[in-house]
Amino acid sequence: MRRLTRTVAAAALSTALALVGGCSSDSDKSEDAKGGNGAALEKVTYLTSFGNFGRDSYAWVAKEKGFFKEAGFDVDIKPGQGTGGVVQVAGGQADFAPVDLTGAILLYANGQAKDFVAVAAIQQRTMAAIATVEGKNIATPKDLEGKKLADTPTSVVRMLFPTYAKLAGIDASKVTWVNGEAQGLIGMLGSGAVDGIGQFVVGQPTIQTVTKKTPVVLPYSNVMQDLYGNVLVTSSKIAKEKPEMVKRFTTALLKGLDYSLAHPEEAGEILKKNVPAANPAAAAAELQLMAAYVRSNNSGTAIGTVDNERVAKTIALLQGAGALKQNLTPDQIIDFNLAPKA
Protein backbone atom coordinates (compact mmCIF):
# COMPACT_ATOMS: atom_id res chain seq x y z
CA MET A 1 0.00 0.00 0.00
CA ARG A 2 2.83 2.37 0.87
CA ARG A 3 4.48 1.65 -2.49
CA LEU A 4 1.17 2.27 -4.29
CA THR A 5 0.79 5.58 -2.48
CA ARG A 6 4.27 6.65 -3.56
CA THR A 7 3.52 5.62 -7.14
CA VAL A 8 0.27 7.62 -7.23
CA ALA A 9 1.99 10.61 -5.68
CA ALA A 10 4.83 10.40 -8.19
CA ALA A 11 2.35 10.23 -11.08
CA ALA A 12 0.48 13.23 -9.75
CA LEU A 13 3.72 15.16 -9.37
CA SER A 14 4.78 14.26 -12.91
CA THR A 15 1.45 15.52 -14.26
CA ALA A 16 1.74 18.74 -12.31
CA LEU A 17 5.28 19.32 -13.54
CA ALA A 18 4.19 18.65 -17.11
CA LEU A 19 1.44 21.25 -16.78
CA VAL A 20 3.84 23.77 -15.32
CA GLY A 21 6.35 23.02 -18.06
CA GLY A 22 3.67 23.62 -20.69
CA CYS A 23 3.04 27.08 -19.28
CA SER A 24 6.71 28.11 -19.08
CA SER A 25 7.53 31.42 -20.70
CA ASP A 26 10.66 32.41 -22.57
CA SER A 27 11.79 34.25 -19.47
CA ASP A 28 11.58 30.99 -17.51
CA LYS A 29 13.79 29.30 -20.09
CA SER A 30 16.30 32.12 -19.95
CA GLU A 31 16.47 31.70 -16.19
CA ASP A 32 17.47 28.05 -16.73
CA ALA A 33 20.62 29.32 -18.43
CA LYS A 34 21.69 31.25 -15.34
CA GLY A 35 23.43 30.09 -12.21
CA GLY A 36 22.69 30.75 -8.57
CA ASN A 37 24.13 34.27 -8.76
CA GLY A 38 22.19 35.17 -11.90
CA ALA A 39 25.25 34.96 -14.17
CA ALA A 40 25.30 32.92 -17.37
CA LEU A 41 26.20 29.25 -16.85
CA GLU A 42 29.68 28.13 -17.81
CA LYS A 43 29.68 25.07 -20.08
CA VAL A 44 31.77 22.17 -18.79
CA THR A 45 32.43 18.72 -20.24
CA TYR A 46 32.72 15.94 -17.67
CA LEU A 47 33.70 12.32 -18.29
CA THR A 48 32.50 9.55 -15.99
CA SER A 49 35.14 7.14 -14.72
CA PHE A 50 33.91 4.03 -16.53
CA GLY A 51 30.72 3.93 -18.57
CA ASN A 52 27.42 4.80 -16.90
CA PHE A 53 27.21 2.53 -13.88
CA GLY A 54 25.81 3.30 -10.44
CA ARG A 55 29.26 4.15 -9.12
CA ASP A 56 29.25 7.22 -11.41
CA SER A 57 25.64 8.29 -10.83
CA TYR A 58 26.66 11.09 -8.47
CA ALA A 59 27.50 13.33 -11.44
CA TRP A 60 23.96 12.93 -12.78
CA VAL A 61 22.66 13.61 -9.27
CA ALA A 62 24.69 16.83 -9.03
CA LYS A 63 23.14 17.91 -12.33
CA GLU A 64 19.58 16.78 -11.59
CA LYS A 65 19.49 18.27 -8.09
CA GLY A 66 20.77 21.62 -9.36
CA PHE A 67 24.12 21.53 -7.56
CA PHE A 68 26.04 22.26 -10.77
CA LYS A 69 23.66 25.02 -11.75
CA GLU A 70 23.88 26.66 -8.34
CA ALA A 71 27.67 26.67 -8.76
CA GLY A 72 27.33 28.30 -12.19
CA PHE A 73 27.80 25.33 -14.53
CA ASP A 74 26.01 23.73 -17.46
CA VAL A 75 27.60 20.26 -17.44
CA ASP A 76 27.68 17.83 -20.35
CA ILE A 77 28.24 14.35 -18.88
CA LYS A 78 29.82 11.79 -21.18
CA PRO A 79 30.78 8.14 -20.51
CA GLY A 80 34.47 7.53 -19.85
CA GLN A 81 36.52 4.43 -20.58
CA GLY A 82 38.86 4.30 -17.60
CA THR A 83 42.12 5.99 -16.75
CA GLY A 84 42.50 7.08 -20.37
CA GLY A 85 40.19 9.95 -19.43
CA VAL A 86 43.23 11.73 -18.04
CA VAL A 87 44.63 11.97 -21.57
CA GLN A 88 41.40 13.56 -22.80
CA VAL A 89 41.44 16.06 -19.96
CA ALA A 90 45.10 16.92 -20.53
CA GLY A 91 44.40 17.31 -24.25
CA GLY A 92 41.40 19.60 -23.75
CA GLN A 93 38.69 17.18 -24.95
CA ALA A 94 37.11 17.30 -21.48
CA ASP A 95 37.38 19.64 -18.50
CA PHE A 96 37.06 17.16 -15.62
CA ALA A 97 37.10 13.41 -15.11
CA PRO A 98 37.44 10.98 -12.20
CA VAL A 99 40.30 8.54 -12.85
CA ASP A 100 42.09 6.06 -10.65
CA LEU A 101 45.02 7.82 -8.99
CA THR A 102 47.39 4.87 -9.42
CA GLY A 103 46.60 4.70 -13.11
CA ALA A 104 47.19 8.44 -13.44
CA ILE A 105 50.57 8.08 -11.73
CA LEU A 106 51.53 5.26 -14.11
CA LEU A 107 50.58 7.34 -17.15
CA TYR A 108 52.45 10.40 -15.90
CA ALA A 109 55.63 8.63 -14.79
CA ASN A 110 55.79 6.57 -17.98
CA GLY A 111 55.40 9.57 -20.26
CA GLN A 112 51.93 8.75 -21.56
CA ALA A 113 50.14 11.79 -20.13
CA LYS A 114 51.13 15.19 -18.81
CA ASP A 115 49.46 18.55 -18.20
CA PHE A 116 46.90 17.36 -15.65
CA VAL A 117 46.46 17.54 -11.88
CA ALA A 118 44.18 15.85 -9.38
CA VAL A 119 42.11 18.20 -7.24
CA ALA A 120 40.04 15.87 -5.00
CA ALA A 121 39.69 12.24 -4.01
CA ILE A 122 36.49 10.42 -4.91
CA GLN A 123 37.43 7.19 -3.12
CA GLN A 124 39.90 6.94 -0.27
CA ARG A 125 40.76 3.34 -1.20
CA THR A 126 41.18 1.68 -4.56
CA MET A 127 38.20 -0.33 -5.81
CA ALA A 128 40.22 -2.01 -8.58
CA ALA A 129 39.69 -5.77 -8.82
CA ILE A 130 39.48 -8.80 -11.04
CA ALA A 131 35.88 -10.05 -11.15
CA THR A 132 34.57 -13.42 -12.21
CA VAL A 133 31.63 -15.68 -11.34
CA GLU A 134 31.24 -19.02 -9.62
CA GLY A 135 32.08 -21.97 -11.85
CA LYS A 136 35.26 -20.45 -13.31
CA ASN A 137 37.51 -22.13 -10.74
CA ILE A 138 38.95 -18.80 -9.64
CA ALA A 139 39.15 -18.31 -5.89
CA THR A 140 42.67 -16.94 -5.36
CA PRO A 141 44.99 -14.69 -7.40
CA LYS A 142 47.11 -17.72 -8.40
CA ASP A 143 44.03 -19.23 -10.06
CA LEU A 144 44.18 -16.49 -12.71
CA GLU A 145 47.07 -18.26 -14.41
CA GLY A 146 45.90 -19.92 -17.62
CA LYS A 147 42.76 -17.75 -17.72
CA LYS A 148 41.51 -15.17 -20.24
CA LEU A 149 40.61 -11.72 -18.87
CA ALA A 150 38.99 -8.74 -20.57
CA ASP A 151 39.19 -5.01 -19.94
CA THR A 152 39.62 -1.71 -21.73
CA PRO A 153 43.26 -1.02 -22.64
CA THR A 154 43.36 2.10 -20.44
CA SER A 155 41.67 0.64 -17.36
CA VAL A 156 43.68 0.93 -14.15
CA VAL A 157 42.91 -2.75 -13.43
CA ARG A 158 44.74 -3.76 -16.58
CA MET A 159 47.51 -1.17 -16.28
CA LEU A 160 48.23 -2.11 -12.68
CA PHE A 161 47.96 -5.87 -13.22
CA PRO A 162 51.72 -6.49 -13.64
CA THR A 163 52.35 -4.88 -10.24
CA TYR A 164 49.42 -6.73 -8.66
CA ALA A 165 50.63 -10.00 -10.17
CA LYS A 166 54.14 -9.50 -8.83
CA LEU A 167 52.92 -8.77 -5.31
CA ALA A 168 50.27 -11.52 -5.35
CA GLY A 169 52.59 -14.24 -6.65
CA ILE A 170 51.01 -14.57 -10.11
CA ASP A 171 52.99 -15.39 -13.26
CA ALA A 172 51.57 -12.58 -15.41
CA SER A 173 52.89 -14.24 -18.59
CA LYS A 174 50.35 -17.03 -18.06
CA VAL A 175 47.37 -14.63 -18.08
CA THR A 176 45.80 -13.59 -21.39
CA TRP A 177 44.18 -10.17 -21.76
CA VAL A 178 41.71 -9.20 -24.50
CA ASN A 179 40.10 -5.85 -25.21
CA GLY A 180 36.55 -4.91 -24.31
CA GLU A 181 34.39 -1.79 -23.92
CA ALA A 182 33.32 -0.56 -20.48
CA GLN A 183 29.62 -1.30 -20.94
CA GLY A 184 30.23 -4.67 -22.62
CA LEU A 185 32.63 -6.33 -20.16
CA ILE A 186 30.01 -7.91 -17.92
CA GLY A 187 28.22 -9.29 -20.98
CA MET A 188 31.50 -10.90 -22.11
CA LEU A 189 31.82 -12.53 -18.70
CA GLY A 190 28.23 -13.70 -18.70
CA SER A 191 28.47 -15.21 -22.17
CA GLY A 192 31.55 -17.21 -21.25
CA ALA A 193 33.76 -15.40 -23.75
CA VAL A 194 36.25 -14.70 -20.94
CA ASP A 195 37.00 -16.08 -17.49
CA GLY A 196 37.21 -12.73 -15.74
CA ILE A 197 37.10 -8.99 -16.26
CA GLY A 198 38.69 -5.88 -14.87
CA GLN A 199 36.09 -4.30 -12.63
CA PHE A 200 35.59 -2.24 -9.48
CA VAL A 201 34.56 -4.21 -6.41
CA VAL A 202 31.27 -2.30 -6.29
CA GLY A 203 30.31 -3.83 -9.63
CA GLN A 204 29.18 -7.04 -7.92
CA PRO A 205 25.43 -6.20 -7.91
CA THR A 206 25.51 -5.35 -11.61
CA ILE A 207 27.49 -8.52 -12.42
CA GLN A 208 24.89 -10.63 -10.61
CA THR A 209 22.02 -8.81 -12.33
CA VAL A 210 23.48 -9.30 -15.82
CA THR A 211 25.03 -12.77 -15.53
CA LYS A 212 22.48 -14.30 -13.11
CA LYS A 213 25.49 -15.86 -11.35
CA THR A 214 27.24 -15.24 -8.03
CA PRO A 215 30.20 -12.86 -8.44
CA VAL A 216 33.69 -13.70 -7.20
CA VAL A 217 36.00 -10.71 -6.71
CA LEU A 218 39.76 -10.42 -6.16
CA PRO A 219 40.34 -6.87 -4.84
CA TYR A 220 43.71 -5.29 -5.53
CA SER A 221 43.50 -3.66 -2.10
CA ASN A 222 44.18 -7.07 -0.53
CA VAL A 223 47.81 -6.76 -1.59
CA MET A 224 48.13 -2.96 -2.08
CA GLN A 225 46.46 -1.32 0.88
CA ASP A 226 47.54 2.34 0.66
CA LEU A 227 46.25 3.06 -2.83
CA TYR A 228 43.61 5.72 -3.41
CA GLY A 229 40.72 5.02 -5.75
CA ASN A 230 39.41 7.58 -8.22
CA VAL A 231 40.48 11.20 -8.02
CA LEU A 232 39.00 14.16 -9.86
CA VAL A 233 41.42 15.51 -12.46
CA THR A 234 41.47 18.63 -14.57
CA SER A 235 44.05 20.10 -16.92
CA SER A 236 47.05 21.98 -15.54
CA LYS A 237 45.92 24.96 -17.64
CA ILE A 238 42.46 25.12 -16.04
CA ALA A 239 43.89 24.61 -12.56
CA LYS A 240 46.35 27.45 -13.06
CA GLU A 241 44.07 29.92 -14.85
CA LYS A 242 40.73 29.18 -13.12
CA PRO A 243 41.42 27.94 -9.59
CA GLU A 244 38.17 29.33 -8.15
CA MET A 245 36.19 27.71 -10.95
CA VAL A 246 37.84 24.36 -10.13
CA LYS A 247 36.93 24.74 -6.46
CA ARG A 248 33.29 25.55 -7.31
CA PHE A 249 32.99 22.57 -9.62
CA THR A 250 34.66 20.23 -7.13
CA THR A 251 32.35 21.36 -4.34
CA ALA A 252 29.25 20.81 -6.49
CA LEU A 253 30.39 17.36 -7.64
CA LEU A 254 31.26 16.23 -4.11
CA LYS A 255 27.88 17.51 -2.96
CA GLY A 256 26.33 15.19 -5.53
CA LEU A 257 28.53 12.35 -4.27
CA ASP A 258 27.54 12.94 -0.66
CA TYR A 259 23.84 13.12 -1.58
CA SER A 260 24.05 9.94 -3.64
CA LEU A 261 25.58 7.96 -0.81
CA ALA A 262 22.86 9.18 1.54
CA HIS A 263 20.06 8.51 -0.98
CA PRO A 264 21.24 5.56 -3.16
CA GLU A 265 17.78 4.55 -4.36
CA GLU A 266 16.99 8.08 -5.55
CA ALA A 267 20.40 8.29 -7.20
CA GLY A 268 19.69 5.03 -9.02
CA GLU A 269 16.41 6.42 -10.35
CA ILE A 270 18.14 9.64 -11.46
CA LEU A 271 20.71 7.57 -13.35
CA LYS A 272 17.90 5.58 -14.99
CA LYS A 273 16.18 8.80 -16.02
CA ASN A 274 19.31 10.01 -17.81
CA VAL A 275 20.67 6.64 -18.95
CA PRO A 276 17.66 4.47 -19.91
CA ALA A 277 19.72 1.26 -20.08
CA ALA A 278 20.76 1.61 -16.41
CA ASN A 279 19.36 -0.69 -13.74
CA PRO A 280 18.36 1.54 -10.79
CA ALA A 281 18.40 -1.27 -8.20
CA ALA A 282 21.90 -2.37 -9.20
CA ALA A 283 23.03 1.27 -9.28
CA ALA A 284 21.75 1.82 -5.73
CA ALA A 285 23.50 -1.33 -4.54
CA GLU A 286 26.78 -0.16 -6.10
CA LEU A 287 26.53 3.14 -4.23
CA GLN A 288 25.85 1.36 -0.95
CA LEU A 289 29.01 -0.70 -1.42
CA MET A 290 31.01 2.35 -2.51
CA ALA A 291 30.24 4.34 0.66
CA ALA A 292 32.93 2.52 2.64
CA TYR A 293 35.52 3.50 0.03
CA VAL A 294 34.57 7.19 -0.12
CA ARG A 295 34.89 7.74 3.62
CA SER A 296 38.10 6.27 4.94
CA ASN A 297 37.16 3.83 7.68
CA ASN A 298 34.42 6.19 8.91
CA SER A 299 37.18 8.44 10.26
CA GLY A 300 35.10 11.57 9.83
CA THR A 301 37.57 12.99 7.33
CA ALA A 302 35.85 15.30 4.86
CA ILE A 303 34.96 13.82 1.49
CA GLY A 304 37.51 14.61 -1.20
CA THR A 305 40.65 15.09 0.89
CA VAL A 306 44.02 13.82 -0.31
CA ASP A 307 46.97 13.03 1.98
CA ASN A 308 50.49 13.81 0.78
CA GLU A 309 52.09 10.94 2.69
CA ARG A 310 49.69 8.33 1.33
CA VAL A 311 50.33 9.48 -2.24
CA ALA A 312 54.07 9.26 -1.56
CA LYS A 313 53.58 5.66 -0.32
CA THR A 314 51.75 4.79 -3.54
CA ILE A 315 54.59 6.21 -5.61
CA ALA A 316 57.13 4.28 -3.51
CA LEU A 317 55.15 1.05 -3.93
CA LEU A 318 55.07 1.43 -7.71
CA GLN A 319 58.75 2.35 -7.81
CA GLY A 320 59.62 -0.70 -5.71
CA ALA A 321 57.70 -2.91 -8.14
CA GLY A 322 59.59 -1.42 -11.08
CA ALA A 323 56.41 0.03 -12.59
CA LEU A 324 57.65 3.63 -13.01
CA LYS A 325 60.12 4.78 -15.64
CA GLN A 326 60.83 8.04 -13.81
CA ASN A 327 60.60 9.32 -10.26
CA LEU A 328 58.01 11.87 -9.26
CA THR A 329 56.65 13.60 -6.18
CA PRO A 330 53.03 13.90 -4.95
CA ASP A 331 52.76 17.58 -5.85
CA GLN A 332 53.47 16.76 -9.49
CA ILE A 333 50.20 14.83 -9.54
CA ILE A 334 48.05 16.55 -6.87
CA ASP A 335 47.27 20.28 -6.56
CA PHE A 336 47.00 20.37 -2.78
CA ASN A 337 46.00 24.04 -2.87
CA LEU A 338 42.79 23.11 -4.71
CA ALA A 339 41.99 19.86 -2.92
CA PRO A 340 39.47 19.92 -0.03
CA LYS A 341 41.08 20.30 3.37
CA ALA A 342 40.77 17.67 6.10
Side-chain angles (χ1 to χ4, degrees), residues 52-194:
N52 283 315
F53 296 103
R55 71 205 70 158
D56 275 299
S57 60
Y58 57 90
W60 294 108
V61 169
K63 185 171 184 175
E64 186 79 13
K65 303 299 290 187
F67 302 153
F68 284 145
K69 182 180 177 183
E70 290 168 6
F73 300 107
D74 176 11
V75 181
D76 182 16
I77 302 172
K78 297 182 177 181
Q81 289 288 329
T83 307
V86 77
V87 178
Q88 293 173 271
V89 167
Q93 289 83 40
D95 300 298
F96 294 93
V99 301
D100 190 276
L101 177 59
T102 307
I105 290 172
L106 290 170
L107 288 174
Y108 189 101
N110 296 331
Q112 296 167 282
K114 299 285 185 180
D115 303 321
F116 72 90
V117 290
V119 295
I122 303 299
Q123 293 113 20
Q124 293 291 322
R125 292 185 293 139
T126 183
M127 300 195 302
I130 301 296
T132 183
V133 291
E134 288 187 347
K136 294 291 186 179
N137 296 318
I138 298 175
T140 69
K142 191 71 174 174
D143 295 333
L144 294 174
E145 294 180 1
K147 301 298 193 297
K148 182 188 293 185
L149 308 178
D151 205 347
T152 64
T154 56
S155 164
V156 67
V157 175
R158 190 165 176 177
M159 292 171 57
L160 192 54
F161 184 76
T163 303
Y164 170 72
K166 183 176 182 179
L167 296 173
I170 304 167
D171 184 347
S173 69
K174 295 181 179 178
V175 179
T176 301
W177 284 93
V178 298
N179 294 337
E181 294 294 319
Q183 295 293 142
L185 290 173
I186 297 176
M188 293 176 70
L189 178 62
S191 70
V194 294

Side-chain angles (χ1 to χ4, degrees), residues 44-48 58-59 75-78 96-98 232 249 253:
V44 166
T45 299
Y46 172 91
L47 299 179
T48 66
Y58 57 90
V75 181
D76 182 16
I77 302 172
K78 297 182 177 181
F96 294 93
L232 180 66
F249 183 87
L253 183 68

Side-chain angles (χ1 to χ4, degrees), residues 163 166 317-325:
T163 303
K166 183 176 182 179
L317 173 69
L318 296 173
Q319 287 174 332
L324 305 184
K325 293 181 180 178

Side-chain angles (χ1 to χ4, degrees):
M1 180 63 71
R2 188 175 301 168
R3 183 178 298 175
L4 177 60
T5 302
R6 287 200 299 265
T7 302
V8 172
L13 177 59
S14 298
T15 302
L17 290 174
L19 291 172
V20 172
C23 298
S24 297
S25 65
D26 289 341
S27 61
D28 292 330
K29 294 177 182 178
S30 65
E31 287 301 313
D32 288 340
K34 295 181 180 180
N37 61 0
L41 296 177
E42 183 173 0
K43 293 187 178 297
V44 166
T45 299
Y46 172 91
L47 299 179
T48 66
S49 68
F50 201 68
N52 283 315
F53 296 103
R55 71 205 70 158
D56 275 299
S57 60
Y58 57 90
W60 294 108
V61 169
K63 185 171 184 175
E64 186 79 13
K65 303 299 290 187
F67 302 153
F68 284 145
K69 182 180 177 183
E70 290 168 6
F73 300 107
D74 176 11
V75 181
D76 182 16
I77 302 172
K78 297 182 177 181
Q81 289 288 329
T83 307
V86 77
V87 178
Q88 293 173 271
V89 167
Q93 289 83 40
D95 300 298
F96 294 93
V99 301
D100 190 276
L101 177 59
T102 307
I105 290 172
L106 290 170
L107 288 174
Y108 189 101
N110 296 331
Q112 296 167 282
K114 299 285 185 180
D115 303 321
F116 72 90
V117 290
V119 295
I122 303 299
Q123 293 113 20
Q124 293 291 322
R125 292 185 293 139
T126 183
M127 300 195 302
I130 301 296
T132 183
V133 291
E134 288 187 347
K136 294 291 186 179
N137 296 318
I138 298 175
T140 69
K142 191 71 174 174
D143 295 333
L144 294 174
E145 294 180 1
K147 301 298 193 297
K148 182 188 293 185
L149 308 178
D151 205 347
T152 64
T154 56
S155 164
V156 67
V157 175
R158 190 165 176 177
M159 292 171 57
L160 192 54
F161 184 76
T163 303
Y164 170 72
K166 183 176 182 179
L167 296 173
I170 304 167
D171 184 347
S173 69
K174 295 181 179 178
V175 179
T176 301
W177 284 93
V178 298
N179 294 337
E181 294 294 319
Q183 295 293 142
L185 290 173
I186 297 176
M188 293 176 70
L189 178 62
S191 70
V194 294
D195 301 301
I197 58 175
Q199 189 65 216
F200 281 173
V201 293
V202 298
Q204 295 175 70
T206 304
I207 291 172
Q208 186 152 12
T209 297
V210 174
T211 66
K212 311 301 182 186
K213 297 178 181 179
T214 302
V216 176
V217 176
L218 303 176
Y220 279 15
S221 60
N222 286 352
V223 296
M224 297 179 283
Q225 298 178 359
D226 283 322
L227 305 187
Y228 276 92
N230 283 345
V231 293
L232 180 66
V233 299
T234 189
S235 69
S236 300
K237 177 180 173 64
I238 291 177
K240 181 179 180 179
E241 297 180 357
K242 299 180 178 181
E244 293 307 315
M245 173 267 205
V246 172
K247 289 181 179 180
R248 283 188 291 113
F249 183 87
T250 300
T251 298
L253 183 68
L254 294 180
K255 189 174 180 181
L257 175 61
D258 192 33
Y259 188 95
S260 298
L261 297 179
H263 307 87
E265 289 81 11
E266 182 182 354
E269 292 297 338
I270 288 174
L271 179 64
K272 173 69 173 179
K273 176 181 177 181
N274 291 277
V275 184
N279 182 304
E286 284 199 5
L287 287 169
Q288 291 169 336
L289 289 173
M290 192 172 81
Y293 291 82
V294 173
R295 294 184 175 89
S296 184
N297 299 322
N298 297 315
S299 63
T301 302
I303 288 179
T305 58
V306 189
D307 181 75
N308 188 307
E309 291 185 8
R310 281 190 60 201
V311 178
K313 287 181 180 179
T314 296
I315 293 172
L317 173 69
L318 296 173
Q319 287 174 332
L324 305 184
K325 293 181 180 178
Q326 61 176 292
N327 295 332
L328 70 160
T329 59
D331 56 7
Q332 289 177 271
I333 296 289
I334 313 292
D335 190 327
F336 291 99
N337 292 322
L338 297 179
K341 302 297 185 288

